[in-house]
Amino acid sequence: MMTLRFKTFCNFILVIGIAFLFQSCWVSRCKRPKIVGYIYDSITRKPIENCKVGEGLTDQNGYFQLKELRYSQFTFAGFEAPSLMVNEPVNKEGYQKKAIELFNPFGGGIKKGALHNADTIFLSKSEIIPDFK
């Protein structure tokens, strides 16, 4: 009698485990969409070459391209994707620093191949104040 109850209990746990497993899945989440754009001088309106944008550099036309970054996550059916927050620094010596900032409350669920066009970002030259001593 005890063996039958134990077997029934084990089968019940197995069925619950399988049902739980079928409600879960491995999904690909967006950490950062592909970002493209141009960096220009705000006064001369000319492209800025070798400006650091995220982990990349601009070319002679001021164009930059950052790869899409993704990660995998184990989740359950019905769970919402996490928010997407991106903050990529834009730095060039002699210019004021800027950043490309993106926020999407449901952005982690963006499909593969997502693209954000940052268009044209204008940088202003930083003023160097002489040190009078």
Side-chain angles (χ1 to χ4, degrees):
M1 192 64 118
M2 186 67 151
T3 313
L4 182 61
R5 283 187 189 171
F6 183 72
K7 226 179 197 183
T8 304
F9 178 72
C10 286
N11 286 338
F12 175 75
I13 295 297
L14 181 65
V15 168
I16 294 297
I18 290 172
F20 189 69
L21 186 64
F22 280 124
Q23 297 236 345
S24 61
C25 58
W26 221 198
V27 293
S28 176
R29 298 282 193 212
C30 183
K31 185 173 184 178
R32 178 185 75 195
K34 179 178 180 180
I35 302 174
V36 298
Y38 292 88
I39 307 294
Y40 278 64
D41 184 288
S42 64
I43 303 298
T44 65
R45 302 288 193 213
K46 291 186 179 180
I48 300 174
E49 187 176 1
N50 294 321
C51 179
K52 187 161 176 62
V53 181
E55 70 277 358
L57 294 173
T58 57
D59 64 12
Q60 68 273 9
N61 298 320
Y63 179 77
F64 69 90
Q65 179 175 318
L66 300 177
K67 295 187 316 183
E68 176 183 27
L69 298 178
R70 300 194 72 82
Y71 65 97
S72 295
Q73 180 182 37
F74 187 76
T75 189
F76 298 98
F79 279 47
E80 288 187 8
S83 298
L84 174 67
M85 291 184 281
V86 176
N87 187 341
E88 294 296 336
V90 178
N91 298 318
K92 175 71 175 176
E93 192 174 323
Y95 287 90
Q96 293 178 357
K97 295 179 180 181
K98 278 199 173 182
I100 299 169
E101 297 176 343
L102 305 172
F103 175 74
N104 184 333
F106 309 106
I110 295 174
K111 291 182 180 180
K112 203 170 195 175
L115 173 69
H116 174 74
N117 186 349
D119 201 19
T120 305
I121 298 170
F122 291 97
L123 296 183
S124 301
K125 292 209 179 218
S126 58
E127 296 179 27
I128 300 172
I129 301 170
D131 187 19
F132 298 106
K133 287 188 181 182

